Amino acid sequence: WQAINWVEFANPLTSEGYDFYVVWIFVGVAIIGCSLGVAIWVGWCFKKHSFPVVWPVMLLRLVLNTAVFLFYISCFSVFSAAFNCNWFMEGKGEIQTHNSTEVVDLRFRLHHFPEIECLVVPHIAHGIVAFIACGVFT
């Protein structure tokens, strides 16, 4: 398992901290947005039967083959980790705060970041963005 663990993108991204992970959610959203823009442009060029340049088609093919076919589960897990909120978990656990350790109820807290509550701003916005990205990516 350790030999192929590098394929799971969410593990190294979440191990670096919450802010780092949120940045990568928005990097993924930007990549999806750019890919959609290029796909719309390529579709428009097909409709007009005119391709002024071919590199966007090659770029779109590269991104789709890499992200969708090769690393689909890994890319999807990066977005889905944002709303993996221990919805049905019961029990208390320790979380590390700034200078102390607190015992809290782990329900509605992120699985990878138990110090972050899922239904509190700003994470609820990040979760909604990640949920929409999951839908678009799928």
Side-chain angles (χ1 to χ4, degrees):
W1 170 248
Q2 294 300 323
I4 61 168
N5 195 29
W6 62 272
V7 175
E8 182 61 48
F9 294 149
N11 290 338
L13 293 180
T14 57
S15 67
E16 293 297 322
Y18 179 72
D19 293 333
F20 184 77
Y21 172 68
V22 169
V23 166
W24 277 102
I25 286 176
F26 286 101
V27 167
V29 168
I31 290 170
I32 289 173
C34 290
S35 297
L36 282 174
V38 171
I40 290 169
W41 182 81
V42 168
W44 185 72
C45 287
F46 269 116
K47 180 181 176 187
K48 297 291 184 181
H49 300 291
S50 170
F51 279 93
V53 289
V54 181
W55 68 265
V57 178
M58 305 293 267
L59 177 67
L60 187 62
R61 180 180 286 171
L62 174 72
V63 169
L64 287 176
N65 284 335
T66 304
V68 176
F69 298 120
L70 188 59
F71 295 118
Y72 178 78
I73 300 296
S74 298
C75 292
F76 191 80
S77 69
V78 169
F79 295 121
S80 66
F83 48 90
N84 184 3
C85 291
N86 298 326
W87 299 107
F88 304 107
M89 179 179 191
E90 293 199 19
K92 298 194 179 291
E94 292 184 355
I95 62 168
Q96 187 71 29
T97 59
H98 298 291
N99 295 327
S100 64
T101 303
E102 293 181 23
V103 176
V104 297
D105 185 12
L106 293 177
R107 188 181 316 179
F108 308 124
R109 291 183 175 270
L110 280 175
H111 177 72
H112 291 289
F113 305 103
E115 68 276 6
I116 304 295
E117 294 183 54
C118 289
L119 302 175
V120 176
V121 174
H123 180 73
I124 195 164
H126 301 152
I128 291 170
V129 168
F131 186 76
I132 293 169
C134 279
V136 172
F137 185 71
T138 300

